[in-house]
């Protein structure tokens, strides 16, 4: 451990080789990449799994978020302390209260955005695209003629923006979706969004056990290695990995 804290990165790469993967997990994102890269990948550390239901309730399932919520209820004493803190901050920043009259200025006070952003009508927002949650059903037997027709139909569907028909046996829901795509799943789709790490802790609860948390984290990292870093499982024996845990992370979850 002392060696990892004091070693120079160039010396560490010389000892371990250039095929070194650095993983820095976080509550919202995971930074991962090869040590030789200057900028790592910053990917949302979340996964959405398909909710399998029977035929009767299949249409009723929607996107849900499985998370351990914080207790946001405050006692009257805590609420009073918060109000006092707000007043102190406002006085230090010289922010007048809404009911306070300006004695030195007869003009009406203007309201502006405190975040410095421009009004929405002047922004050029890009078009938001929902994630395509459907994929081809590879379990169905196909011949060459039908496969050629499917390729032609798929090209036409992409041109029309078709995202698959759930009632069609040729398309099925994807078992899981990771990263940024998981955050863009339509609310009407039967998926459950999960974050393995929340607020520096493993997001363990009665509805989200430790085994499922570890499986989801392993699935997310495996997906990143395959799709983002292009390191298939057969070639991973030629790579080394180092896990960098932030100091704010709960150390009880490191051994898991």
């Amino acid at each position: 451990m002392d060696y990892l804290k004091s070693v120079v990165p160039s010396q560490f790469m010389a000892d371990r080789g250039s095929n070194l993967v650095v993983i820095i997990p976080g509550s919202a994102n995971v930074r991962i990449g090869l040590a030789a890269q200057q900028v790592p990948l910053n990917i949302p550390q979340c996964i959405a799994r398909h909710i399998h239901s029977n035929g009767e309730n299949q249409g009723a399932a929607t996107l849900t978020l499985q998370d351990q919520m914080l207790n946001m209820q405050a006692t009257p004493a805590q609420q009073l302390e918060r109000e006092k803190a707000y007043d102190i901050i406002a006085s230090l920043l010289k922010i007048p209260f809404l009911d306070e009259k300006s004695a030195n200025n007869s003009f009406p006070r203007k309201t502006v955005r405190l975040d410095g952003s421009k009004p929405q009508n002047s922004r050029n927002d890009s078009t938001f695209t929902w994630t395509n949650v459907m994929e081809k059903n590879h379990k169905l037997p196909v011949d060459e003629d039908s496969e050629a027709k499917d390729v032609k139909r798929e090209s036409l569907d992409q041109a029309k923006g078709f995202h698959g028909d759930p009632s069609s046996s040729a398309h099925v829901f994807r078992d899981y979706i990771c990263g940024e795509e998981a955050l863009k799943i339509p609310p009407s789709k039967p998926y459950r969004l999960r974050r393995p790490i929340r607020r520096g802790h493993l997001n363990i609860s009665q509805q989200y056990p430790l085994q499922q948390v570890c499986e989801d984290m392993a699935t997310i990292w495996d997906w990143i290695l395959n799709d983002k870093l292009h390191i298939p499982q057969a070639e991973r024996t030629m790579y080394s990995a180092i896990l960098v845990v932030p100091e704010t992370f709960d150390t009880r979850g490191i051994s898991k």
Side-chain angles (χ1 to χ4, degrees):
M1 185 64 67
D2 296 335
Y3 167 76
L4 296 177
K5 291 182 179 180
S6 59
V7 67
V8 180
S10 58
Q11 181 64 32
F12 186 78
M13 291 180 59
D15 296 341
R16 298 296 180 91
S18 59
N19 292 342
L20 177 64
V21 179
V22 181
I23 304 174
I24 308 177
S27 298
N29 301 329
V30 53
R31 291 188 294 172
I32 184 172
L34 296 175
Q37 296 176 345
Q38 295 183 354
V39 180
L41 299 176
N42 194 20
I43 300 175
Q45 189 164 235
C46 58
I47 182 173
R49 293 188 180 273
H50 176 227
I51 302 175
H52 297 276
S53 57
N54 52 29
E56 297 179 357
N57 299 328
Q58 187 173 2
T62 57
L63 179 66
T64 57
L65 174 63
Q66 189 170 21
D67 193 7
Q68 187 176 6
M69 304 302 294
L70 290 175
N71 185 10
M72 301 301 294
Q73 296 181 355
T75 61
Q78 292 175 341
Q79 191 68 26
L80 183 60
E81 291 181 357
R82 291 179 181 178
E83 294 295 336
K84 291 181 179 179
Y86 296 152
D87 294 342
I88 295 174
I89 295 173
S91 62
L92 293 176
L93 297 178
K94 298 181 180 180
I95 300 176
F97 294 97
L98 295 178
D99 56 353
E100 181 181 351
K101 295 182 179 180
S102 178
N104 299 327
N105 191 1
S106 59
F107 295 98
R109 184 181 295 122
K110 296 182 179 180
T111 58
V112 295
R113 294 176 61 96
L114 296 179
D115 54 4
S117 301
K118 297 181 180 179
Q120 294 184 357
N121 54 6
S122 63
R123 292 189 305 178
N124 186 13
D125 295 334
S126 58
T127 304
F128 182 83
T129 304
W130 293 108
T131 299
N132 183 9
V133 299
M134 308 301 296
E135 65 179 357
K136 280 189 175 182
N137 189 359
H138 300 286
K139 297 180 180 180
L140 294 178
V142 293
D143 52 14
E144 295 181 358
D145 294 337
S146 61
E147 186 176 359
K149 293 180 181 179
D150 291 339
V151 172
K152 184 177 180 180
R153 187 183 301 110
E154 183 179 1
S155 61
L156 293 175
D157 293 341
Q158 291 178 355
K160 297 179 181 179
F162 178 72
H163 291 283
D165 184 7
S167 61
S168 175
S169 59
H171 293 83
V172 294
F173 285 106
R174 296 161 62 180
D175 289 336
Y176 63 88
I177 302 173
C178 300
E180 188 175 357
E181 279 191 320
L183 301 176
K184 296 181 180 181
I185 296 178
S188 59
K189 301 303 179 182
Y191 280 85
R192 179 173 288 113
L193 181 64
R194 293 169 174 169
R195 290 185 178 272
I197 301 178
R198 291 291 282 164
R199 310 173 190 94
H201 301 267
L202 293 179
N203 194 15
I204 302 173
S205 63
Q206 294 182 353
Q207 294 77 22
Y208 199 11
L210 174 62
Q211 181 180 0
Q212 187 63 52
V213 170
C214 295
E215 289 180 1
D216 288 347
M217 193 178 306
T219 302
I220 295 172
W221 293 2
D222 180 72
W223 167 77
I224 295 175
L225 292 175
N226 284 324
D227 291 13
K228 301 299 182 180
L229 296 180
H230 306 289
I231 304 177
Q233 195 167 8
E235 299 179 2
R236 294 179 189 175
T237 55
M238 300 182 295
Y239 289 81
S240 301
I242 179 172
L243 181 64
V244 181
V245 180
E247 295 182 354
T248 57
F249 189 76
D250 188 359
T251 56
R252 293 174 297 179
I254 298 177
S255 60
K256 305 300 182 181

